Amino acid sequence: MDKALLKELRAIVGPDHLRETPGDLAPYSRDATPLFFRQPEAVVFPADTEEVAAVLRLATRHGVPVVPRGAGSNLCAATVALHGGIVLSLTRLDRILELSPSELLARVQPGVTSNALGDAAADEDLLWAPDPGSRSVATVGGMIATCAGGLRGLKYGVTRNYVLGLEAVLPTGEVIRTGGRLSKDVAGYDLTRLLTGSEGTLAVITEATVALRPAPAETGTGVAYFPTLADAGRAVASIIAAGLLPATLEFLDNACIRAVEDFAGLGLRTDAGALLLFGDDGDTGTTQQALARMSDACAASGALDITTAAQIAQAEALLTARRCTLPALSRLGSLTILEDATVPRPRIAEMVERIDSIARRHDVRIATFGHAGDGNLHPTCVLDSPEDKAAVARAEHAFQDIFSAAIELGGTITGEHGVGAAKLPYLAQQLGTAQMSLLRRLKTAFDPAGILNPGKLGS
């Protein structure tokens, strides 16, 4: 990028909204994913759709890569500028444009955080259901781009289940609107669903219409400890077989329990082989009945101990145990690699055993936690130092085996984090040659110049 191009960018967004010095660019050389770094040549902060379109037209004309970015909290290196160029930060587009209780929807700009939308919805006795671990900073645009999941995925689904319509800018600068305010609309190809999870490779989202739900009248949470993860897996199967659909159904293995207890001092049982966090929400009275039935299923499956939270503060403390698992594990070493893979629910225990075996074979330390209700596991490798190249290589080989195991068991290489640059080497193994070729043709149709997030999906 030469000075003339930087001058044109400055004219589009204004001098206060262009970063070009090494110190200002450094924070945008990475996202929350370890081991992936590349400094862009400029970062721009457009104020509206028109400025986004102008930046994309300029970039297409000059063949300069553009990486759309929200908060950068993703865990798949989806927003690392692998080929340099421009990082297009959408954090200034942060307004809730409309909240309509009668239609159970909101219109938001992509820079609105999940917490901000959740709080605004709660003020109207409504629920924004997607619940990623980084919800305090994760932007709605980023959640849509990666189709984020979270703790409520079993009962409420993931982000794509709540996207009704989008405004998006194509790399040519054309602005399109997909979907709209309706729950029923089957006119044409479902481009809304295609752009959801496309990780900024097809278009830049500048507005989203999302569905909300009535807020539940009551919530409840409990925790059960088991001798082994296999016992916890049997409890999960029993809960689902009983016709229950929990709002929360999470597990931690023993390594995670010990790390969380050492970190947060919550009084967890560190002698247990597994912890199962269960919870539900709904009408007054029905939630407590559901918790009682879940407790019975856990007891019948050999639980060592079962506790249900009698007060909101206690429930929040139990949820804290799950939410602080990653920071707790991060204290065990200077490099923490958190991944995700999903298998059919009945094969969770088998998958965790495979992970443990793989960790031993490659001589790396891996703890596993995740969403027991939908089979989404988060194997987390902790290393002493990113400078230990041999250990990093062993970890990479271990994760390669983990992803292969997930596919072999009928699962996927990513249930909610996305592909990005981190999982791209394994994508063809899951999708096959024909589907990979189709992805590339779709990418070319949207982005003939190949400027949007190169080195990611469809590249």
Side-chain angles (χ1 to χ4, degrees):
M1 291 176 59
D2 57 23
K3 291 183 178 180
L5 183 54
L6 289 170
K7 182 179 179 181
E8 289 188 74
L9 282 174
R10 193 176 295 110
I12 293 170
V13 299
D16 293 335
H17 305 295
L18 170 70
R19 304 287 185 270
E20 56 181 305
T21 65
D24 287 337
L25 296 175
Y28 298 89
S29 65
R30 60 166 297 171
D31 51 30
T33 319
L35 303 177
F36 288 86
F37 304 90
R38 175 62 192 269
Q39 188 161 289
E41 294 162 84
V43 181
V44 294
F45 301 83
D48 52 35
T49 301
E50 290 71 24
E51 290 187 3
V52 171
V55 170
L56 292 180
R57 282 194 297 269
L58 178 66
T60 292
R61 190 163 69 247
H62 291 274
V64 176
V66 176
V67 178
R69 181 183 172 110
S73 59
N74 75 89
L75 290 163
C76 65
T79 54
V80 177
L82 299 177
H83 297 271
I86 302 166
V87 165
L88 182 71
S89 174
L90 297 161
T91 52
R92 289 182 68 202
L93 281 72
D94 61 354
R95 290 185 297 138
I96 297 176
L97 302 172
E98 178 186 4
L99 202 150
S100 176
S102 64
E103 296 173 278
L104 295 176
L105 63 79
R107 284 194 309 116
V108 302
Q109 293 183 311
V112 171
T113 66
S114 187
N115 263 7
L117 177 55
D119 290 345
D123 288 342
E124 300 290 341
D125 292 322
L126 297 172
L127 173 70
W128 165 240
D131 186 33
S134 57
R135 61 183 182 169
S136 62
V137 296
T139 63
V140 174
M143 291 170 63
I144 294 171
T146 56
C147 194
L151 273 65
R152 291 195 284 244
L154 173 61
K155 183 171 185 175
Y156 289 104
V158 296
T159 301
R160 67 166 171 258
N161 302 112
Y162 296 88
V163 184
L164 297 173
L166 298 171
E167 178 188 79
V169 185
L170 301 177
T172 56
E174 299 167 276
V175 180
I176 62 172
R177 281 191 171 271
T178 71
R181 308 173 71 92
L182 307 174
S183 58
K184 290 182 177 180
D185 183 354
V186 293
Y189 294 136
D190 192 348
L191 297 181
T192 304
R193 205 69 177 266
L194 178 60
L195 292 178
T196 302
S198 63
E199 299 182 8
T201 62
L202 302 180
V204 178
I205 297 166
T206 51
E207 184 185 312
T209 302
V210 296
L212 305 174
R213 301 182 66 137
E218 184 179 58
T219 62
T221 307
V223 64
Y225 298 93
F226 294 88
T228 69
L229 189 61
D231 296 322
R234 283 191 288 272
V236 170
S238 297
I239 289 169
I240 303 300
L244 296 166
L245 195 61
T248 303
L249 199 54
E250 303 285 311
F251 79 91
L252 281 69
D253 71 4
N254 179 262
C256 292
I257 296 171
R258 290 178 178 275
V260 169
E261 181 58 26
D262 185 58
F263 174 59
L266 298 173
L268 304 180
R269 283 191 60 164
T270 57
D271 62 332
L275 175 158
L276 186 66
L277 181 72
F278 58 90
D280 203 6
D281 56 23
D283 297 332
T284 303
T286 62
T287 299
Q288 295 307 315
Q289 293 175 11
L291 287 180
R293 293 173 64 191
M294 292 180 203
S295 297
D296 290 343
C298 290
S301 299
L304 300 169
D305 186 22
I306 304 169
T307 301
T308 55
Q311 300 173 351
I312 292 176
Q314 291 174 314
E316 285 301 317
L318 292 179
L319 288 170
T320 296
R322 168 60 179 84
R323 294 191 187 281
C324 74
T325 306
L326 178 57
L329 290 172
S330 297
R331 298 171 70 241
L332 303 180
S334 61
L335 176 61
T336 305
I337 306 173
L338 169 65
E339 282 292 0
D340 84 310
T342 303
V343 296
R345 193 164 44 236
R347 310 197 78 167
I348 290 177
E350 181 181 357
M351 182 63 187
V352 172
E353 289 174 357
R354 295 278 288 270
I355 291 170
D356 290 343
S357 175
I358 289 167
R360 289 192 297 271
R361 185 165 68 249
H362 291 282
D363 189 26
V364 291
R365 178 171 46 181
I366 296 180
T368 305
F369 62 98
H371 313 297
D374 51 28
N376 188 200
L377 299 93
H378 294 310
T380 305
C381 182
V382 182
L383 302 177
D384 291 333
S385 171
E387 304 305 320
D388 187 344
K389 303 303 181 185
V392 170
R394 293 199 306 274
E396 290 174 341
H397 288 131
F399 280 119
Q400 184 176 353
D401 288 351
I402 287 170
F403 299 142
S404 294
I407 295 171
E408 180 186 331
L409 295 178
T412 174
I413 61 173
T414 175
E416 60 182 4
H417 289 174
V419 176
K423 297 285 185 67
L424 191 60
Y426 314 107
L427 187 61
Q429 183 180 354
Q430 178 175 329
L431 300 186
T433 302
Q435 196 170 164
M436 289 296 295
S437 179
L438 178 59
L439 259 62
R440 294 186 182 101
R441 294 198 298 273
L442 287 168
K443 166 70 170 172
T444 300
F446 276 81
D447 182 17
I451 65 156
L452 269 185
N453 214 359
K456 314 292 172 52
L457 284 174
S459 297

